[in-house]
Amino acid sequence: MTKKIYITLALLLLAVTVNAQTFLEQVEKDFQEKQEILPNGDLFKIFDNDLSAQEEACLKMLYAYMPIGDITDYSGEFYLENVRSTLSTAQEMKWNIPEKIFRHFVLPIRVNNENLDNSRMIFHDILKDRIKGLSMYDAVLEVNHWCHEKANYRPSDQRTSSPLATVSTAYGRCGEESTFLVAALRSVGIPARQVYTPRWAHTDDNHAWVEAWVNGKWYFLGACEPEPVLNLGWFNAPASRGMLMHTKVFGRYDGPEDIMKVTKNYTEINIISNYGDNAGITIQVVDKGGNVIPDAEVEFKLYNYAEYFTVSRKKCNAEGITTLNAGLGDMVVMAYHGNQFGIEKCSFGKDQTKTIVLNHTIGDEFSIELDIVPPTEKPNVPFVSAEQRKQNDIRFNREDSIRNAYIATFPTAEDIAQFAKANRYKVEEIEKYIVASRGNHHEIQSFLQTAAQKGVAQRALDLLSTLAEKDLRDTKADILNNHLYNTAMESDITTILAPRISYEMLTPYRKALQDFFGKEQATKFRSNPELLVDWCRRNITLHDEWSTVSTLISPIGILNSRTSDSKSLPVFFVASARSCGIPSYIDGITGNTCYIHKKDTITVDFSTGKSDITGSGFLQLKYDPIPKLKDPEYYRHYTLSKFEKGKFNLQTYPDFEKASVTFGNYTKIPEGYYQMVTGSRLANGSVLSCVNFFNIEADEKRLETLKMRDNSEAIRVIGSFNSESRFTLAETDAETSVLLTTGRGYFAVGCLGVGQEPTNHAINDIIHKAKELEKWGRKMILLFSDKAAYNKFHAQGFKGMPNNVVYGIDNLQNIQKEICKEMNLQDGTPLPIFIIADTFNRVVFESHGYTIGLGTQMMKIIDGL
């Protein structure tokens, strides 16, 4: 029997088993390969230091598998400090962690695509005494309580904040909260990994949470959402309906989980079996003649945000076969080879095998209808006693107060007014930037103050106007100064002055690029930007295989290493162009890299070196309204994807913009082959979908039908609710009933879980439909567990709620209990719970837990009443 190897100073990463020795040999091989593709020896200078055997082994593990940008953009000293902290903590905590678990789930610094920082050392020093004497299980719970003190949930853009930036901001989206918690757990030596469902099957959006390794077993928990026990979160129920759960494990990993993909940076594992029933399916790809197609590309897709979103991409073997395990629901599967493709619906648990025929050619125009059914809900919820829940709620509220006390240190309206007066700004000019900067306000104020002193206040405001809110929260003043004071005053704001290009972390690239190219070369580039395109193609080597973690290499990192990947190169080009005074940008809809020369917009193709004036046609969508949908919205009801480089790429038109606005008239659109997906989401999570393939020719005016399939089900009574149920009005403390509050007719009731992500999503959905709900005119009663929860809700500052909302206190949760009983909901059904009912006690709509598009679903019912 192979001896277990545990973390000790003598054996750490120097295990003597055959398997461990083979792994170390592979690490050395991969490390050498990384050195070969990055010939700049300074990038590996840290290995010239006097390192211990453990330090060298750990550093080689990190350097062997980290993406290129992590080598070019961070110093060797940064990694050595992290390694030494990790090794010291392993000795200090003595958790008894197997070597394989340590090297893949404790040692790695990167969690997602966040900016790396010094959080490991800082968090360790804060947490070590807090968890002293606790069991590993309790330590995990305690670290999560600390994380909740520092941050709670709020949605934001796709760029992932660093752990320290999340602490500074005091909030983050789920991907940032889970990155934060993983970093915190690893800082005290506890193995942790981020888990994603790339997209839900029963509703829109996705979610990320954390698994922590405790004494030989993985447990899950919601990041910054502490519960009394592990394996408990608001997402127990929706996770049981998930189709795919995955995590990206740093390096080459050969654990017991199902391996989905192996890259040079990570091993992607499928852990759906931890959360719900699942089954495997075997896909075979053949041509029209029935001949198998080796190496065909297969994409497994979920309907989500009106797109067929790829959750797994695989290549077939020599027999044209690939496989996947997933939850017991439907996926759309597309297969490609050359200019041929096929599309089928696959039902996991029903279809054990599926043959996909490549019976379509790129350019074929056709449409198909697909009925897509998600898995059913089967939550497994651990027991929590009433006392455990009470004590956890007390702690939860105390942690909220700690965080709110920190937030109270941010500049007040009076502070901002004084700053504006002292620096000769108008309050309305700067208030939104300082408020949005949160814990980074000192940096934004410093930038504004210096600009005012130098007489370029308006130009500083112009620059800030180009930034995302997240940039305001984590960008230092010296970075903003680098861009402001190295750009000609008369240059265009959005295509030259703006520091932001894509979803990269902002860096001070402008002065360095100007110094490198020089004034003479910059002048040549401005007169003929193709010279810059050519310079990029001749001098920069692409290594996509070493950059698979969705991080971007900084422009300076590319300049110093002469190495990039396909996603970072356009950012480098635009950064270089803007630094040389050439208007340039990455198109927000198509993703094309463009520059402007002599009033022409030129699209750059780095793969061919050809740059062309973009060929375009025009698209208008004709929509024949169905009874419950007046005007479809982008991402909610339909999307467009364009076929490029062997796959369909989503076109990112404005979120939830109505079709009559985007395509009500002929709208300019790049020529090409398009896929339009539409879908009507039903209350049970199923989707009535349609996909239409068509071409747009240059200068063509194309009229296409936007087909929304109607849910022909009539509104029907699904349960009962006593409209005489009593509650207390939150603002007056007067007792009343639902009937007295709403009057005769229909009404809506919602039981909220304040501060919980599903409730926040529901409230935002209601705000999105505020005007329509106000037009309905009937009351919506939102109920809280107690007055403290009501006050906490208002402290979150939701703006734009419908004016027909009434706030109440559900004493002893009597109304919530009645709804659960009458609607046959299980004990512990996750909040929020919403119903639409009438004063004849008939319920026609019910929703609970995590549901994106709640407002839309409610309006479908309301419009049909």
mmCIF file of all heavy atoms in Angstrom, residues 338-358:
data_model
loop_
_atom_site.group_PDB
_atom_site.id
_atom_site.type_symbol
_atom_site.label_atom_id
_atom_site.label_comp_id
_atom_site.label_asym_id
_atom_site.label_seq_id
_atom_site.Cartn_x
_atom_site.Cartn_y
_atom_site.Cartn_z
ATOM 1 N N GLY A 338 -14.134 21.670 -40.403
ATOM 2 C CA GLY A 338 -14.005 22.452 -41.624
ATOM 3 C C GLY A 338 -15.151 23.443 -41.723
ATOM 4 O O GLY A 338 -15.439 24.179 -40.781
ATOM 5 N N ASN A 339 -15.840 23.439 -42.865
ATOM 6 C CA ASN A 339 -16.984 24.347 -43.035
ATOM 7 C C ASN A 339 -18.321 23.628 -42.870
ATOM 8 O O ASN A 339 -19.358 24.103 -43.311
ATOM 9 C CB ASN A 339 -16.921 25.034 -44.402
ATOM 10 C CG ASN A 339 -17.147 24.056 -45.550
ATOM 11 O OD1 ASN A 339 -17.008 22.843 -45.371
ATOM 12 N ND2 ASN A 339 -17.481 24.574 -46.720
ATOM 13 N N GLN A 340 -18.274 22.450 -42.227
ATOM 14 C CA GLN A 340 -19.483 21.671 -41.980
ATOM 15 C C GLN A 340 -19.824 21.714 -40.494
ATOM 16 O O GLN A 340 -18.933 21.758 -39.632
ATOM 17 C CB GLN A 340 -19.283 20.216 -42.411
ATOM 18 C CG GLN A 340 -18.825 20.046 -43.856
ATOM 19 C CD GLN A 340 -19.886 20.477 -44.852
ATOM 20 O OE1 GLN A 340 -21.036 20.066 -44.761
ATOM 21 N NE2 GLN A 340 -19.487 21.331 -45.794
ATOM 22 N N PHE A 341 -21.141 21.674 -40.192
ATOM 23 C CA PHE A 341 -21.535 21.620 -38.784
ATOM 24 C C PHE A 341 -22.889 20.930 -38.646
ATOM 25 O O PHE A 341 -23.641 20.772 -39.613
ATOM 26 C CB PHE A 341 -21.567 23.013 -38.162
ATOM 27 C CG PHE A 341 -22.709 23.889 -38.596
ATOM 28 C CD1 PHE A 341 -23.850 24.027 -37.814
ATOM 29 C CD2 PHE A 341 -22.643 24.606 -39.790
ATOM 30 C CE1 PHE A 341 -24.894 24.850 -38.204
ATOM 31 C CE2 PHE A 341 -23.683 25.433 -40.190
ATOM 32 C CZ PHE A 341 -24.823 25.552 -39.390
ATOM 33 N N GLY A 342 -23.171 20.511 -37.414
ATOM 34 C CA GLY A 342 -24.452 19.904 -37.082
ATOM 35 C C GLY A 342 -24.910 20.383 -35.722
ATOM 36 O O GLY A 342 -24.096 20.820 -34.900
ATOM 37 N N ILE A 343 -26.200 20.321 -35.470
ATOM 38 C CA ILE A 343 -26.763 20.789 -34.198
ATOM 39 C C ILE A 343 -27.861 19.823 -33.769
ATOM 40 O O ILE A 343 -28.697 19.412 -34.580
ATOM 41 C CB ILE A 343 -27.282 22.234 -34.328
ATOM 42 C CG1 ILE A 343 -27.907 22.711 -33.006
ATOM 43 C CG2 ILE A 343 -28.259 22.386 -35.489
ATOM 44 C CD1 ILE A 343 -28.235 24.198 -32.998
ATOM 45 N N GLU A 344 -27.850 19.446 -32.481
ATOM 46 C CA GLU A 344 -28.846 18.535 -31.923
ATOM 47 C C GLU A 344 -29.117 18.905 -30.467
ATOM 48 O O GLU A 344 -28.257 19.469 -29.784
ATOM 49 C CB GLU A 344 -28.353 17.078 -31.963
ATOM 50 C CG GLU A 344 -28.203 16.491 -33.341
ATOM 51 C CD GLU A 344 -29.518 16.098 -33.985
ATOM 52 O OE1 GLU A 344 -30.536 16.085 -33.261
ATOM 53 O OE2 GLU A 344 -29.520 15.816 -35.200
ATOM 54 N N LYS A 345 -30.311 18.556 -29.987
ATOM 55 C CA LYS A 345 -30.595 18.604 -28.562
ATOM 56 C C LYS A 345 -30.280 17.247 -27.965
ATOM 57 O O LYS A 345 -30.652 16.210 -28.521
ATOM 58 C CB LYS A 345 -32.058 18.951 -28.307
ATOM 59 C CG LYS A 345 -32.380 19.087 -26.809
ATOM 60 C CD LYS A 345 -33.861 19.301 -26.559
ATOM 61 C CE LYS A 345 -34.631 17.995 -26.600
ATOM 62 N NZ LYS A 345 -36.026 18.158 -26.145
ATOM 63 N N CYS A 346 -29.592 17.225 -26.818
ATOM 64 C CA CYS A 346 -29.258 15.976 -26.127
ATOM 65 C C CYS A 346 -29.831 16.015 -24.717
ATOM 66 O O CYS A 346 -29.687 17.014 -24.010
ATOM 67 C CB CYS A 346 -27.743 15.783 -26.072
ATOM 68 S SG CYS A 346 -26.983 15.584 -27.693
ATOM 69 N N SER A 347 -30.466 14.924 -24.301
ATOM 70 C CA SER A 347 -31.084 14.833 -22.982
ATOM 71 C C SER A 347 -30.283 13.874 -22.115
ATOM 72 O O SER A 347 -30.334 12.650 -22.322
ATOM 73 C CB SER A 347 -32.535 14.355 -23.104
ATOM 74 O OG SER A 347 -33.300 15.250 -23.883
ATOM 75 N N PHE A 348 -29.550 14.422 -21.151
ATOM 76 C CA PHE A 348 -28.738 13.606 -20.255
ATOM 77 C C PHE A 348 -29.651 12.805 -19.337
ATOM 78 O O PHE A 348 -30.592 13.341 -18.763
ATOM 79 C CB PHE A 348 -27.788 14.485 -19.440
ATOM 80 C CG PHE A 348 -26.651 15.042 -20.240
ATOM 81 C CD1 PHE A 348 -26.827 16.131 -21.074
ATOM 82 C CD2 PHE A 348 -25.390 14.461 -20.164
ATOM 83 C CE1 PHE A 348 -25.783 16.656 -21.816
ATOM 84 C CE2 PHE A 348 -24.331 14.965 -20.907
ATOM 85 C CZ PHE A 348 -24.518 16.066 -21.739
ATOM 86 N N GLY A 349 -29.373 11.529 -19.216
ATOM 87 C CA GLY A 349 -30.213 10.625 -18.440
ATOM 88 C C GLY A 349 -31.194 9.874 -19.316
ATOM 89 O O GLY A 349 -31.677 8.810 -18.929
ATOM 90 N N LYS A 350 -31.499 10.429 -20.487
ATOM 91 C CA LYS A 350 -32.369 9.747 -21.454
ATOM 92 C C LYS A 350 -31.558 9.245 -22.645
ATOM 93 O O LYS A 350 -31.708 8.100 -23.075
ATOM 94 C CB LYS A 350 -33.471 10.692 -21.922
ATOM 95 C CG LYS A 350 -34.432 11.128 -20.833
ATOM 96 C CD LYS A 350 -35.498 12.074 -21.381
ATOM 97 C CE LYS A 350 -36.450 12.529 -20.287
ATOM 98 N NZ LYS A 350 -37.452 13.508 -20.811
ATOM 99 N N ASP A 351 -30.720 10.111 -23.190
ATOM 100 C CA ASP A 351 -29.869 9.726 -24.323
ATOM 101 C C ASP A 351 -28.522 9.229 -23.805
ATOM 102 O O ASP A 351 -27.754 10.004 -23.234
ATOM 103 C CB ASP A 351 -29.631 10.919 -25.259
ATOM 104 C CG ASP A 351 -30.915 11.482 -25.825
ATOM 105 O OD1 ASP A 351 -31.854 10.718 -26.038
ATOM 106 O OD2 ASP A 351 -30.960 12.717 -26.046
ATOM 107 N N GLN A 352 -28.262 7.965 -23.981
ATOM 108 C CA GLN A 352 -26.936 7.454 -23.598
ATOM 109 C C GLN A 352 -25.916 7.727 -24.689
ATOM 110 O O GLN A 352 -24.735 7.936 -24.406
ATOM 111 C CB GLN A 352 -27.017 5.958 -23.304
ATOM 112 C CG GLN A 352 -27.864 5.626 -22.085
ATOM 113 C CD GLN A 352 -27.873 4.139 -21.784
ATOM 114 O OE1 GLN A 352 -27.527 3.304 -22.639
ATOM 115 N NE2 GLN A 352 -28.262 3.789 -20.570
ATOM 116 N N THR A 353 -26.381 7.703 -25.926
ATOM 117 C CA THR A 353 -25.521 8.023 -27.071
ATOM 118 C C THR A 353 -26.291 8.951 -28.000
ATOM 119 O O THR A 353 -27.518 8.961 -28.012
ATOM 120 C CB THR A 353 -25.102 6.761 -27.846
ATOM 121 O OG1 THR A 353 -26.266 6.128 -28.385
ATOM 122 C CG2 THR A 353 -24.348 5.783 -26.958
ATOM 123 N N LYS A 354 -25.551 9.718 -28.764
ATOM 124 C CA LYS A 354 -26.171 10.627 -29.724
ATOM 125 C C LYS A 354 -25.231 10.793 -30.909
ATOM 126 O O LYS A 354 -24.026 11.036 -30.733
ATOM 127 C CB LYS A 354 -26.427 11.988 -29.094
ATOM 128 C CG LYS A 354 -27.382 12.866 -29.889
ATOM 129 C CD LYS A 354 -28.819 12.479 -29.626
ATOM 130 C CE LYS A 354 -29.795 13.485 -30.204
ATOM 131 N NZ LYS A 354 -31.194 13.175 -29.885
ATOM 132 N N THR A 355 -25.781 10.627 -32.098
ATOM 133 C CA THR A 355 -24.999 10.840 -33.320
ATOM 134 C C THR A 355 -25.329 12.220 -33.877
ATOM 135 O O THR A 355 -26.502 12.556 -34.065
ATOM 136 C CB THR A 355 -25.319 9.767 -34.375
ATOM 137 O OG1 THR A 355 -24.975 8.481 -33.842
ATOM 138 C CG2 THR A 355 -24.517 10.023 -35.643
ATOM 139 N N ILE A 356 -24.303 13.012 -34.107
ATOM 140 C CA ILE A 356 -24.490 14.330 -34.703
ATOM 141 C C ILE A 356 -23.960 14.288 -36.131
ATOM 142 O O ILE A 356 -22.785 13.996 -36.362
ATOM 143 C CB ILE A 356 -23.779 15.421 -33.889
ATOM 144 C CG1 ILE A 356 -24.377 15.489 -32.485
ATOM 145 C CG2 ILE A 356 -23.890 16.778 -34.589
ATOM 146 C CD1 ILE A 356 -23.826 16.580 -31.625
ATOM 147 N N VAL A 357 -24.851 14.543 -37.047
ATOM 148 C CA VAL A 357 -24.499 14.527 -38.463
ATOM 149 C C VAL A 357 -24.132 15.947 -38.900
ATOM 150 O O VAL A 357 -24.871 16.901 -38.633
ATOM 151 C CB VAL A 357 -25.672 14.009 -39.316
ATOM 152 C CG1 VAL A 357 -25.276 13.974 -40.799
ATOM 153 C CG2 VAL A 357 -26.112 12.626 -38.839
ATOM 154 N N LEU A 358 -22.992 16.074 -39.556
ATOM 155 C CA LEU A 358 -22.580 17.378 -40.087
ATOM 156 C C LEU A 358 -23.323 17.613 -41.400
ATOM 157 O O LEU A 358 -22.772 17.495 -42.494
ATOM 158 C CB LEU A 358 -21.064 17.413 -40.295
ATOM 159 C CG LEU A 358 -20.208 17.114 -39.055
ATOM 160 C CD1 LEU A 358 -18.727 17.267 -39.378
ATOM 161 C CD2 LEU A 358 -20.589 18.021 -37.891
#
